Amino acid sequence: MCVIFLAKIEAMALVRGSSLKTGSALAALWLLFPAVITTSAKIEPLLFEEQLLWVSGMEGEVNTYRIPLITFTPMGSLLAFAEARKFSASDDGAKFIAMRRSTDKGSTWSPTSYIVDDELDQDGLNLGSVVVDQEVGSVILVYTVCFHLHNCKPASTMMVESKDDGLSWTSPKNLSIQLGVQNFAPGPGSGLQKRYEPHQGRLVVCGHGTSEGDGVFCILSDDHGHTWFNGAALKSIPYNQKKRALDFNPDECQPVEMMDGSIVINVRNQNNYHCRCRVVVRSQDGGMSLPIDDLYFDYELVDPAIAAGAFQKEGVLFFTNPANEQQRINLTLRWSVTNGTSWEKNALQIWHGPSGYSCITSLDSGSADDRRHIFVVYEKGLHDYDETISFAKIHLYGGREST
Ligand SMILES: *[C@@H]1O[C@H](CO)[C@@H](O)[C@H](O)[C@H]1NC(C)=O
Ligand SMILES: *[C@@H]1O[C@H](CO)[C@@H](O)[C@H](O)[C@H]1NC(C)=O
Ligand SMILES: *[C@@H]1O[C@H](CO)[C@@H](O)[C@H](O)[C@H]1NC(C)=O
């Protein structure tokens, strides 16, 4: 199994060099004002380590790896998933779901296992949302098959589940039997389990519909994924009609639970309605509604219309996307200490070149090491963004041990 370490040593050396200076300045401050430093450690993300999890065209029968997801399990293992597109790079066509697992927080990874095979379907599976149920210790992956209706119908929403830390997976279960038949592409990214009221314990998976009946939709489960029901809908305009450039067409999305119990969904603005930037919408009722009153455009988050990463850790909101209005380049990490109402000026560029979909995770164990790190998977290339799936470990305090 090949794990290819990235030759980004010069870049890392540069970042590390500057952080060392800040580190010693802080060490001096620490002596003068120890209490101030411990209570308000300033976030200063540093790209600490990076390795490629998948390289398109290099292994067996897989043509292209795309659509990376990442999560921690309740036991503290990392699971990374991607679509393994068998014969071409296109969104339809036959695929596997590829998975790699790390039990040492991303230093080493298992070989790839292919946990779902759509068996040469014309319009195979598409990822997908990964959601972790902390109460029962399970990991659930929700995905779609036949989403594009190419030589097949109808589209179905499917689920697989692992109750043993990602080692084994159930066979696929068809959620469309409960939800009704609809075109629903979850995520791509993470679903969530509500930590706070209202509806503490609920599983929330949000995604988007077809290109005509498009919009953001959430499906919900109040019994650990046994049964699911349809929740909020934020419909496109004109709904169920052919779209034109600049129509309102909310698309792929990433929900995040904030510390007040609301769910903020960061959405791809497919037809560039109003701006080339992200749409943000909020649910105050556990994913049952997404009122227009709570919708805004985040002009600071410029975006080429793509799936992005969002994650809340200890009250800080993190966001990753290719920060460019036109092109899928410049994978950038931003962070907000104001619940997303503003973003810190000094964003971290993770990769200057071609970059695509991304997903963020972090472990909330309370340990000092886990408080210091977030982890990002993203599509990365030299010429095209779909050449590799890269895993980046990010130190939130410039590499410093004392925070
Ligand atoms: C899933 O269930 C729906 C509703 O019964 C059905 O129409 C569809 O064919 C099923 N999909 C698969 C992949 O079995
Ligand atoms: C990359 O992102 C940063 C942060 O948003 C921005 O300042 C810069 O102009 C971007 N560069 C390109 C080439 O898009
Ligand atoms: C962010 O939200 C939390 C939870 O509601 C609140 O306590 C905090 O004051 C908010 N922060 C800002 C800067 O608004």
Side-chain angles (χ1 to χ4, degrees):
M1 187 61 236
C2 61
V3 175
I4 297 169
F5 288 86
L6 209 71
K8 278 197 65 192
I9 292 156
E10 300 120 316
M12 293 257 301
L14 275 175
V15 186
R16 271 177 186 278
S18 59
S19 79
L20 282 179
K21 255 180 271 156
T22 329
S24 41
L26 262 160
L29 270 176
W30 171 273
L31 295 171
L32 289 173
F33 312 103
V36 177
I37 302 297
T38 37
T39 53
S40 60
K42 195 168 159 50
I43 291 193
E44 216 177 4
L46 166 72
L47 180 56
F48 199 76
E49 259 174 46
E50 191 163 358
Q51 55 179 291
L52 302 184
L53 294 182
W54 288 288
V55 180
S56 293
M58 284 197 31
E59 276 169 55
E61 292 178 18
V62 175
N63 179 286
T64 303
Y65 288 92
R66 277 209 63 197
I67 327 292
L69 315 181
I70 192 161
T71 191
F72 271 102
T73 66
M75 291 176 69
S77 300
L78 270 173
L79 302 180
F81 305 88
E83 289 180 11
R85 300 183 169 185
K86 296 180 195 173
F87 306 118
S88 81
S90 75
D91 289 344
D92 56 4
K95 304 176 201 75
F96 303 105
I97 297 177
M99 186 198 77
R100 294 187 71 180
R101 180 169 174 271
S102 172
T103 53
D104 57 10
K105 298 186 182 159
S107 296
T108 59
W109 292 84
S110 73
T112 298
S113 39
Y114 296 94
I115 61 170
V116 179
D117 180 358
D118 59 20
E119 288 169 355
L120 310 189
D121 280 356
Q122 297 277 8
D123 184 9
L125 61 88
N126 286 99
L127 283 176
S129 289
V130 60
V131 53
V132 169
D133 190 318
Q134 298 286 349
E135 293 177 8
V136 298
S138 64
V139 182
I140 289 171
L141 200 55
V142 186
Y143 60 97
T144 176
V145 293
C146 186
F147 182 72
H148 313 87
L149 306 175
H150 278 185
N151 301 313
C152 57
K153 68 175 183 188
S156 306
T157 306
M158 310 295 288
M159 164 183 147
V160 290
E161 180 173 16
S162 174
K163 292 189 168 163
D164 59 2
D165 206 45
L167 289 172
S168 70
W169 294 83
T170 59
S171 55
K173 179 175 164 184
N174 183 354
L175 300 185
S176 295
I177 296 167
Q178 293 167 7
L179 293 168
V181 171
Q182 56 195 350
N183 288 53
F184 173 67
S190 311
L192 61 88
Q193 180 171 44
K194 291 276 286 142
R195 276 179 79 155
Y196 308 103
E197 293 296 340
H199 302 289
Q200 190 268 327
R202 171 176 285 176
L203 304 183
V204 180
V205 165
C206 302
H208 78 105
T210 51
S211 48
E212 287 186 3
D214 214 338
V216 165
F217 304 91
C218 299
I219 61 170
L220 312 172
S221 173
D222 285 334
D223 58 6
H224 311 290
H226 293 296
T227 57
W228 293 82
F229 56 99
N230 290 299
L234 172 70
K235 291 182 174 177
S236 61
I237 305 172
Y239 187 59
N240 259 337
Q241 294 164 50
K242 217 170 167 55
K243 298 294 184 297
R244 297 181 189 159
L246 308 182
D247 279 347
F248 180 63
N249 196 4
D251 196 85
E252 294 170 319
C253 62
Q254 177 59 65
V256 175
E257 183 174 25
M258 305 302 285
M259 289 172 94
D260 65 358
S262 66
I263 299 168
V264 167
I265 310 184
N266 194 295
V267 185
R268 170 174 175 164
N269 186 4
Q270 177 67 6
N271 291 32
N272 301 310
Y273 177 80
H274 199 70
C275 65
R276 288 180 178 268
C277 72
R278 305 293 296 179
V279 178
V280 181
V281 67
R282 181 188 296 261
S283 176
Q284 308 272 8
D285 57 5
M288 286 305 292
S289 70
L290 291 169
I292 288 288
D293 307 38
D294 287 332
L295 182 149
Y296 66 94
F297 295 85
D298 194 329
Y299 302 108
E300 283 190 70
L301 301 183
V302 301
D303 190 66
I306 195 162
F311 193 84
Q312 188 263 118
K313 185 177 174 68
E314 296 184 12
V316 180
L317 185 61
F318 295 93
F319 176 80
T320 49
N321 78 336
N324 185 283
E325 286 194 359
Q326 309 288 341
Q327 287 177 276
R328 294 181 169 187
I329 57 169
N330 196 31
L331 205 278
T332 300
L333 172 72
R334 292 175 172 282
W335 59 101
S336 168
V337 294
T338 59
N339 300 322
T341 58
S342 64
W343 298 90
E344 296 297 294
K345 294 248 164 346
N346 43 340
L348 171 71
Q349 185 185 65
I350 295 178
W351 177 240
H352 66 87
S355 30
Y357 286 27
S358 56
C359 185
I360 311 172
T361 194
S362 182
L363 188 58
D364 200 10
S365 71
S367 86
D369 195 56
D370 292 331
R371 294 187 67 184
R372 283 197 284 263
H373 294 102
I374 62 168
F375 303 85
V376 177
V377 283
Y378 70 101
E379 298 172 336
K380 171 180 190 172
L382 287 174
H383 307 288
D384 289 302
Y385 64 85
D386 63 4
E387 289 163 9
T388 76
I389 305 282
S390 184
F391 166 78
K393 176 175 177 176
I394 289 161
H395 194 299
L396 294 180
Y397 302 100
R400 292 187 302 278
E401 290 298 309
S402 52
T403 55

